[in-house]
Amino acid sequence: MENLILYKMTWEEFEANIRDVLEIEDGVVLNRDEILEDTEFWSSMHALLVMAMAESEYNVSITGEDLRKSSTLGNIYELLKSKIG
Amino acid sequence: MSKISEIAIYFPKKVFTNEDFFKLFPDERDSKTWGKLGINQRHIIGEQEVPSDMGLLAAKKLFLENPSLRGEVDYLIFSGHERDHYTPVTASFLQKKLGLATNVGCIDMHQGCASFVHLLAHADGLIQIGAANKVLIITLSSLTNQFHEKDKSNRFMFGDAATAFIIEKSEESKIESYCFGNDAESNDNIIILDGEHRTPINEKSYDSFTNRFGQEQWPGYFYQNGAGVFRFILDRVPNTIDEALTKSNLTREDIDFYLFHQPNAMVLKALSKIAKLDEEKLIIDLEDCGNTVSVSIPILIHNLKKQKKINPNMNILFCGFGTGMSWNACIWKT
């Protein structure tokens, strides 16, 4: 039987990936509960970058609909965690 | 067997720069979004310009550079949504205007941003069955005519252009491993709802409504759902690349260039990462023209040929994707 290694994503790792993909400078504080639409770094294009990151970094597919339901970074983090399983 | 030989490109004179865009939409100047798309300017069809005339000018340029072609072409395919008349086909008018012989077959066919591989397949097929030796393909896009003035995304991303190129019989080169797909399930991701037989233009065609994606849409104008299209590309394109490679018994290392439809730089960079493609082999070249629909892959071929980068014994993987939703790929063994 194959050895299954359960992968656990941490907030710190997720935050580092988000900073990388959205090119958010270190000085900008990322708040889990801040509404994305109210932030300076978020746009519909950035939602696409997050979709691509989910695929390339975590091998999971998220849809535009999934992202529309996620109003904060915390929501996206939880969404990815649930998809990773 | 066949090859892609001579090729010419035509861009309309009017240029719409990023600076022009930011003057129209000043609130967008500070957004980081636009910088990621890799587009600095796009050409826009003139107000009095008839779309097929762009194709005619591309073909005239091709014949000017290669005078013997005029008498050698034995089939003409016109590819563009923008026909001259309901009937006859636009290829028929172009045949006459270009002074081609009357024993030249003429037909129109189009599949939006996914046109190129379809066009290759049809021309290649005509050559394989002995019906033609030199197929002239004229394809164009004047999609900017179909945008609502408030549609920022599409006005930034798309540009107009035309190309004329030749697919001809060859002893050395071949185009193979064609793969095609289409899924109408989510075809409202790229659509113009009104203006044809299903729903003619009516009093509501130019009133906006909120669509199922939560976005503003005008039924009489072009609509594209960026997130939906991006999801579609990620779901379909990597598998199609693998399918074409498997059919040719090749690996990613064997490919010299990936020449894909060019929606924008961000999508192509994400795609190269997800499909595990060598970034240097995936050509991104839309800085001066934007997304030119069916002309985007021919522009890549034209520019690589000009730089003398397409040489014998190369493997070039073409991939198209777009409205339909439709996707395809094939491999050109030069």
Side-chain angles (χ1 to χ4, degrees):
Chain A
M1 196 177 143
E2 257 182 72
N3 282 328
L4 292 176
I5 300 167
L6 285 178
Y7 170 72
K8 292 261 184 204
M9 178 179 62
T10 63
W11 168 261
E12 288 71 25
E13 178 199 332
F14 171 75
E15 184 184 336
N17 279 327
I18 283 285
R19 281 186 186 281
D20 182 42
V21 77
L22 301 187
E23 295 174 22
I24 301 169
E25 289 154 15
D26 290 343
V28 178
V29 177
L30 290 186
N31 183 335
R32 285 171 87 126
D33 301 320
E34 195 174 7
I35 304 296
L36 286 166
E37 293 294 340
D38 297 341
T39 66
E40 280 189 10
F41 59 81
W42 189 254
S43 72
S44 57
M45 191 63 66
H46 293 106
L48 306 191
L49 291 169
V50 171
M51 279 165 80
M53 181 199 79
E55 200 99 12
S56 62
E57 301 301 319
Y58 302 107
N59 207 24
V60 296
S61 294
I62 54 176
T63 64
E65 185 61 24
D66 289 335
L67 281 173
R68 258 195 308 284
K69 288 177 189 161
S70 308
S71 56
T72 65
L73 277 184
N75 291 155
I76 297 177
Y77 174 63
E78 294 301 331
L79 170 70
L80 279 180
K81 266 176 71 166
S82 71
K83 296 255 180 185
I84 292 167
Chain B
M1 298 201 299
S2 54
K3 68 174 180 183
I4 304 162
S5 57
E6 289 79 12
I7 184 162
I9 306 287
Y10 168 82
F11 290 112
K13 285 192 184 74
K14 188 178 170 188
V15 173
F16 182 59
T17 65
N18 288 5
E19 186 52 31
D20 296 330
F21 176 83
F22 292 130
K23 277 180 189 161
L24 279 177
F25 304 106
D27 292 349
E28 298 299 325
R29 200 178 279 278
D30 296 330
S31 165
K32 287 182 181 174
T33 301
W34 309 110
K36 290 184 185 296
L37 302 179
I39 302 165
N40 288 338
Q41 63 165 44
R42 59 298 284 148
H43 295 260
I44 307 290
I45 188 167
E47 277 176 29
Q48 304 300 322
E49 202 166 5
V50 176
S52 75
D53 288 347
M54 297 200 304
L56 180 68
L57 289 169
K60 281 185 171 173
K61 196 172 167 188
L62 183 79
F63 287 164
L64 193 69
E65 290 163 3
N66 309 275
S68 65
L69 276 179
R70 195 184 301 269
E72 294 165 1
V73 165
D74 46 15
Y75 205 97
L76 169 60
I77 303 176
F78 170 74
S79 180
H81 290 295
E82 305 88 338
R83 60 191 178 192
D84 283 0
H85 297 272
Y86 188 98
T87 192
V89 294
T90 304
S92 164
F93 290 98
L94 289 169
Q95 176 205 27
K96 186 178 181 215
K97 287 175 182 169
L98 287 167
L100 301 179
T102 50
N103 61 351
V104 168
C106 291
I107 197 165
D108 288 4
M109 60 174 70
H110 202 52
Q111 179 50 294
C113 295
S115 291
F116 182 74
V117 174
H118 283 287
L119 292 166
L120 280 191
H122 281 81
D124 195 13
L126 288 164
I127 292 166
Q128 301 298 331
I129 62 170
N133 286 315
K134 285 199 183 190
V135 180
L136 170 62
I137 295 174
I138 298 175
T139 182
L140 61 87
S141 177
S142 61
L143 191 63
T144 65
N145 270 334
Q146 305 296 328
F147 299 157
H148 190 281
E149 59 178 7
K150 288 184 185 166
D151 184 349
K152 287 183 275 193
S153 299
N154 290 321
R155 290 187 71 181
F156 190 91
M157 283 191 282
F158 287 89
D160 300 328
T163 179
F165 59 96
I166 300 287
I167 308 297
E168 67 177 70
K169 196 173 181 180
S170 167
E171 296 303 321
E172 302 83 30
S173 149
K174 71 171 173 176
I175 305 163
E176 63 176 27
S177 303
Y178 292 97
C179 310
F180 296 100
N182 195 81
D183 181 359
E185 187 60 34
S186 56
N187 67 7
D188 54 350
N189 274 305
I190 303 177
I191 199 164
I192 300 176
L193 285 168
D194 292 2
E196 292 286 336
H197 296 287
R198 182 63 59 193
T199 319
I201 292 293
N202 57 74
E203 69 278 7
K204 290 186 177 167
S205 292
Y206 301 112
D207 295 341
S208 69
F209 69 101
T210 301
N211 64 20
R212 73 179 179 103
F213 308 113
Q215 296 174 347
E216 187 175 28
Q217 180 174 356
W218 293 269
Y221 286 104
F222 178 81
Y223 170 75
Q224 175 166 250
N225 170 30
V229 174
F230 191 57
R231 183 68 262 156
F232 152 76
I233 292 169
L234 298 186
D235 289 341
R236 297 295 187 182
V237 173
N239 292 339
T240 310
I241 295 166
D242 285 332
E243 195 183 335
L245 288 171
T246 304
K247 274 189 175 181
S248 278
N249 202 20
L250 296 174
T251 67
R252 282 165 172 66
E253 285 69 40
D254 299 316
I255 298 297
D256 295 280
F257 289 122
Y258 294 98
L259 302 188
F260 292 2
H261 167 59
Q262 307 271 296
N264 63 60
M266 191 213 81
V267 165
L268 290 166
K269 282 178 185 169
L271 190 54
S272 80
K273 205 168 177 185
I274 287 156
K276 298 181 172 48
L277 309 177
D278 184 339
E279 265 194 49
E280 287 182 7
K281 293 180 181 177
L282 177 67
I283 305 302
I284 300 177
D285 184 0
L286 76 162
E287 211 177 359
D288 296 329
C289 58
N291 178 347
T292 53
V293 188
S294 55
V295 192
S296 66
I297 296 177
I299 288 171
L300 302 181
I301 298 169
H302 174 268
N303 293 350
L304 286 171
K305 273 180 172 269
K306 209 170 154 187
Q307 298 161 35
K308 300 196 185 312
K309 286 186 177 171
I310 296 183
N311 299 308
N313 303 313
M314 292 180 104
N315 295 316
I316 297 177
L317 195 150
F318 296 118
C319 183
F321 40 85
T323 188
M325 306 295 286
S326 177
W327 62 95
N328 48 50
C330 67
I331 292 174
W332 180 23
K333 292 187 160 179
T334 64

Coordinates of all heavy atoms in Angstrom, one line a residue, chain A residues 8-49:
Chain A
K8 N -0.5 19.6 4.8 CA -1.2 20.7 5.6 C -0.7 22.0 5.1 O 0.5 22.3 5.4 CB -1.0 20.5 7.1 CG -1.7 19.2 7.6 CD -3.0 19.6 8.3 CE -3.6 18.3 8.9 NZ -5.0 18.4 9.0
M9 N -1.5 22.8 4.6 CA -1.1 24.2 4.2 C -1.2 25.1 5.4 O -2.2 25.0 6.1 CB -2.0 24.7 3.1 CG -1.7 26.1 2.6 SD -2.8 26.7 1.3 CE -4.4 26.6 2.1
T10 N -0.2 25.9 5.6 CA -0.3 26.9 6.7 C -0.6 28.3 6.2 O -0.4 28.6 5.0 CB 1.1 27.0 7.4 OG1 2.0 27.5 6.5 CG2 1.5 25.6 7.9
W11 N -1.2 29.1 7.0 CA -1.5 30.5 6.6 C -0.2 31.2 6.2 O -0.2 31.9 5.2 CB -2.1 31.2 7.8 CG -2.2 32.7 7.5 CD1 -1.3 33.7 8.0 CD2 -3.1 33.4 6.7 NE1 -1.6 34.9 7.5 CE2 -2.8 34.8 6.7 CE3 -4.2 33.0 5.9 CZ2 -3.5 35.7 5.9 CZ3 -4.9 33.9 5.2 CH2 -4.5 35.3 5.2
E12 N 0.9 31.0 6.8 CA 2.2 31.6 6.5 C 2.6 31.3 5.1 O 3.0 32.1 4.3 CB 3.3 31.2 7.5 CG 3.2 31.8 8.9 CD 2.0 31.2 9.7 OE1 1.6 30.0 9.4 OE2 1.5 31.9 10.6
E13 N 2.5 30.0 4.7 CA 2.9 29.6 3.4 C 1.9 30.2 2.3 O 2.3 30.7 1.3 CB 2.8 28.1 3.3 CG 3.1 27.5 2.0 CD 2.6 26.0 1.8 OE1 2.5 25.3 2.8 OE2 2.3 25.7 0.7
F14 N 0.6 30.1 2.7 CA -0.4 30.7 1.8 C -0.1 32.2 1.6 O -0.2 32.7 0.4 CB -1.8 30.5 2.4 CG -2.9 31.2 1.7 CD1 -3.4 30.8 0.5 CD2 -3.5 32.4 2.3 CE1 -4.4 31.5 -0.1 CE2 -4.5 33.1 1.6 CZ -5.0 32.6 0.4
E15 N 0.2 32.9 2.7 CA 0.4 34.3 2.6 C 1.6 34.6 1.7 O 1.6 35.5 0.9 CB 0.6 34.9 4.0 CG 0.8 36.4 3.9 CD 1.1 37.1 5.3 OE1 0.8 36.5 6.3 OE2 1.7 38.2 5.3
A16 N 2.7 33.8 1.9 CA 3.9 34.0 1.0 C 3.6 33.8 -0.4 O 4.0 34.6 -1.3 CB 5.0 33.0 1.5
N17 N 2.8 32.8 -0.7 CA 2.4 32.6 -2.2 C 1.5 33.7 -2.7 O 1.7 34.1 -3.8 CB 1.6 31.2 -2.3 CG 2.6 30.0 -2.3 OD1 3.7 30.1 -2.9 ND2 2.1 28.9 -1.8
I18 N 0.6 34.2 -1.9 CA -0.3 35.3 -2.3 C 0.5 36.5 -2.6 O 0.4 37.2 -3.6 CB -1.4 35.6 -1.2 CG1 -2.5 34.5 -1.3 CG2 -2.0 37.0 -1.3 CD1 -3.4 34.6 -2.5
R19 N 1.5 36.8 -1.7 CA 2.4 38.0 -1.9 C 3.2 37.9 -3.2 O 3.3 38.8 -3.9 CB 3.4 38.1 -0.7 CG 2.8 38.7 0.5 CD 3.9 39.0 1.6 NE 3.2 39.4 2.8 CZ 2.8 40.7 3.1 NH1 3.0 41.6 2.1 NH2 2.3 41.0 4.2
D20 N 3.6 36.6 -3.4 CA 4.4 36.4 -4.6 C 3.6 36.6 -5.9 O 4.0 37.3 -6.8 CB 5.0 35.0 -4.5 CG 5.9 34.7 -5.7 OD1 6.7 35.5 -6.1 OD2 5.8 33.6 -6.3
V21 N 2.4 36.0 -5.9 CA 1.6 36.0 -7.1 C 1.0 37.3 -7.4 O 0.8 37.7 -8.5 CB 0.6 34.8 -7.1 CG1 -0.6 35.0 -6.2 CG2 0.2 34.5 -8.5
L22 N 0.6 38.0 -6.3 CA -0.1 39.3 -6.5 C 0.9 40.5 -6.4 O 0.5 41.6 -6.5 CB -1.2 39.5 -5.4 CG -2.3 38.5 -5.4 CD1 -3.4 38.9 -4.5 CD2 -2.9 38.3 -6.8
E23 N 2.2 40.1 -6.2 CA 3.3 41.1 -6.1 C 2.9 42.2 -5.0 O 3.0 43.4 -5.3 CB 3.5 41.8 -7.5 CG 4.1 40.8 -8.5 CD 4.2 41.4 -9.9 OE1 4.3 42.6 -10.0 OE2 4.2 40.6 -10.8
I24 N 2.6 41.7 -3.9 CA 2.3 42.6 -2.7 C 3.6 42.8 -1.9 O 4.2 41.9 -1.5 CB 1.2 42.0 -1.8 CG1 -0.1 41.8 -2.6 CG2 0.9 42.9 -0.6 CD1 -1.1 40.9 -1.9
E25 N 3.9 44.1 -1.8 CA 5.2 44.4 -1.1 C 5.1 44.0 0.4 O 4.1 43.9 1.0 CB 5.5 45.9 -1.2 CG 5.9 46.3 -2.6 CD 5.6 47.7 -2.9 OE1 5.3 48.5 -1.9 OE2 5.6 48.1 -4.1
D26 N 6.3 43.7 1.0 CA 6.4 43.3 2.4 C 5.8 44.2 3.4 O 5.2 43.9 4.4 CB 7.9 43.0 2.8 CG 8.4 41.8 2.0 OD1 7.6 41.0 1.5 OD2 9.6 41.6 1.9
G27 N 5.9 45.5 3.0 CA 5.4 46.6 4.0 C 3.9 46.5 4.1 O 3.3 47.0 5.1
V28 N 3.2 46.0 3.1 CA 1.7 45.9 3.2 C 1.3 44.8 4.1 O 1.6 43.6 3.8 CB 1.1 45.7 1.7 CG1 -0.4 45.6 1.8 CG2 1.6 46.8 0.8
V29 N 0.5 45.1 5.1 CA 0.0 44.1 6.0 C -1.2 43.4 5.4 O -2.1 44.0 4.9 CB -0.4 44.7 7.4 CG1 -1.0 43.7 8.3 CG2 0.8 45.4 8.0
L30 N -1.2 42.0 5.4 CA -2.3 41.3 4.9 C -3.2 40.8 6.0 O -2.7 40.1 6.9 CB -1.8 40.0 4.1 CG -1.1 40.3 2.7 CD1 -0.8 39.0 2.0 CD2 -2.0 41.2 1.8
N31 N -4.4 41.3 6.0 CA -5.4 40.9 7.0 C -6.3 39.9 6.5 O -6.9 40.0 5.4 CB -6.1 42.2 7.4 CG -7.1 42.0 8.5 OD1 -7.5 40.9 8.8 ND2 -7.4 43.1 9.2
R32 N -6.4 38.8 7.2 CA -7.3 37.7 6.8 C -8.7 38.1 6.6 O -9.4 37.5 5.7 CB -7.3 36.6 7.9 CG -6.1 35.7 8.0 CD -6.2 34.9 9.2 NE -6.9 33.6 9.0 CZ -6.4 32.4 9.2 NH1 -5.2 32.3 9.8 NH2 -7.1 31.4 9.0
D33 N -9.2 39.0 7.4 CA -10.6 39.4 7.3 C -11.0 40.6 6.5 O -12.2 41.0 6.5 CB -11.2 39.5 8.8 CG -10.9 38.2 9.6 OD1 -11.1 37.2 9.0 OD2 -10.5 38.3 10.7
E34 N -10.0 41.2 6.0 CA -10.3 42.5 5.2 C -11.0 42.1 3.9 O -10.7 41.1 3.2 CB -9.0 43.2 4.9 CG -9.2 44.6 4.4 CD -7.9 45.4 4.2 OE1 -6.8 44.7 4.3 OE2 -7.9 46.5 3.9
I35 N -12.0 42.9 3.6 CA -12.8 42.6 2.3 C -11.9 42.9 1.1 O -11.4 44.0 1.0 CB -14.1 43.4 2.3 CG1 -15.0 43.2 3.5 CG2 -14.9 43.2 1.0 CD1 -15.5 41.8 3.7
L36 N -11.7 41.9 0.3 CA -10.7 42.0 -0.8 C -11.1 43.2 -1.7 O -10.2 43.9 -2.2 CB -10.7 40.7 -1.7 CG -10.0 39.6 -1.0 CD1 -10.4 38.3 -1.7 CD2 -8.5 39.8 -1.0
E37 N -12.4 43.4 -2.0 CA -12.8 44.5 -2.9 C -12.3 45.9 -2.4 O -12.2 46.8 -3.1 CB -14.3 44.5 -3.1 CG -14.8 43.3 -3.9 CD -14.3 43.2 -5.4 OE1 -13.9 44.3 -5.9 OE2 -14.3 42.1 -5.9
D38 N -12.1 46.0 -1.0 CA -11.8 47.2 -0.4 C -10.2 47.5 -0.4 O -9.8 48.5 0.0 CB -12.3 47.3 1.1 CG -13.8 47.3 1.1 OD1 -14.4 47.5 0.1 OD2 -14.3 46.9 2.2
T39 N -9.5 46.4 -0.8 CA -8.0 46.6 -0.7 C -7.5 47.1 -2.0 O -8.2 47.1 -3.1 CB -7.3 45.2 -0.5 OG1 -7.6 44.4 -1.7 CG2 -7.8 44.5 0.8
E40 N -6.3 47.7 -2.0 CA -5.7 48.3 -3.2 C -5.2 47.2 -4.1 O -5.0 47.5 -5.3 CB -4.6 49.3 -2.8 CG -5.1 50.6 -2.3 CD -4.0 51.6 -2.2 OE1 -2.9 51.3 -2.6 OE2 -4.3 52.7 -1.6
F41 N -4.8 46.1 -3.6 CA -4.1 45.1 -4.4 C -5.1 44.1 -5.2 O -4.7 43.4 -6.0 CB -3.2 44.2 -3.6 CG -3.8 43.4 -2.5 CD1 -4.5 42.3 -2.7 CD2 -3.7 43.9 -1.2 CE1 -5.0 41.5 -1.7 CE2 -4.3 43.2 -0.1 CZ -5.0 42.0 -0.4
W42 N -6.4 44.2 -4.9 CA -7.3 43.2 -5.5 C -8.0 43.7 -6.7 O -8.5 44.9 -6.7 CB -8.3 42.8 -4.5 CG -9.1 41.6 -4.9 CD1 -10.4 41.6 -5.3 CD2 -8.7 40.2 -5.0 NE1 -10.8 40.3 -5.6 CE2 -9.8 39.5 -5.5 CE3 -7.5 39.6 -4.8 CZ2 -9.7 38.1 -5.7 CZ3 -7.4 38.2 -5.0 CH2 -8.5 37.5 -5.5
S43 N -8.2 42.9 -7.8 CA -9.0 43.2 -8.9 C -9.5 41.9 -9.5 O -9.0 40.8 -9.1 CB -8.2 44.0 -10.0 OG -7.3 43.2 -10.6
S44 N -10.3 41.9 -10.5 CA -10.8 40.7 -11.1 C -9.6 39.9 -11.7 O -9.6 38.7 -11.8 CB -11.8 41.0 -12.2 OG -11.3 41.8 -13.2
M45 N -8.6 40.7 -12.2 CA -7.4 40.0 -12.8 C -6.6 39.2 -11.7 O -6.1 38.2 -12.0 CB -6.5 41.1 -13.4 CG -5.4 40.6 -14.2 SD -6.0 39.8 -15.7 CE -6.8 41.1 -16.6
H46 N -6.6 39.8 -10.5 CA -5.9 39.1 -9.4 C -6.6 37.8 -9.0 O -6.0 36.9 -8.6 CB -5.7 40.1 -8.3 CG -4.8 41.2 -8.6 ND1 -5.3 42.5 -8.8 CD2 -3.5 41.2 -8.9 CE1 -4.2 43.2 -9.2 NE2 -3.1 42.5 -9.2
A47 N -7.9 37.8 -9.2 CA -8.7 36.6 -8.9 C -8.2 35.5 -9.9 O -8.0 34.3 -9.5 CB -10.2 36.8 -9.1
L48 N -7.9 35.9 -11.1 CA -7.4 34.9 -12.1 C -6.0 34.4 -11.7 O -5.7 33.2 -11.8 CB -7.3 35.5 -13.5 CG -8.5 36.1 -14.1 CD1 -8.3 36.4 -15.6 CD2 -9.7 35.2 -13.9
L49 N -5.2 35.3 -11.1 CA -3.8 34.9 -10.7 C -3.9 33.9 -9.5 O -3.1 32.9 -9.4 CB -3.0 36.1 -10.3 CG -2.6 37.0 -11.4 CD1 -2.0 38.3 -10.9 CD2 -1.6 36.3 -12.3

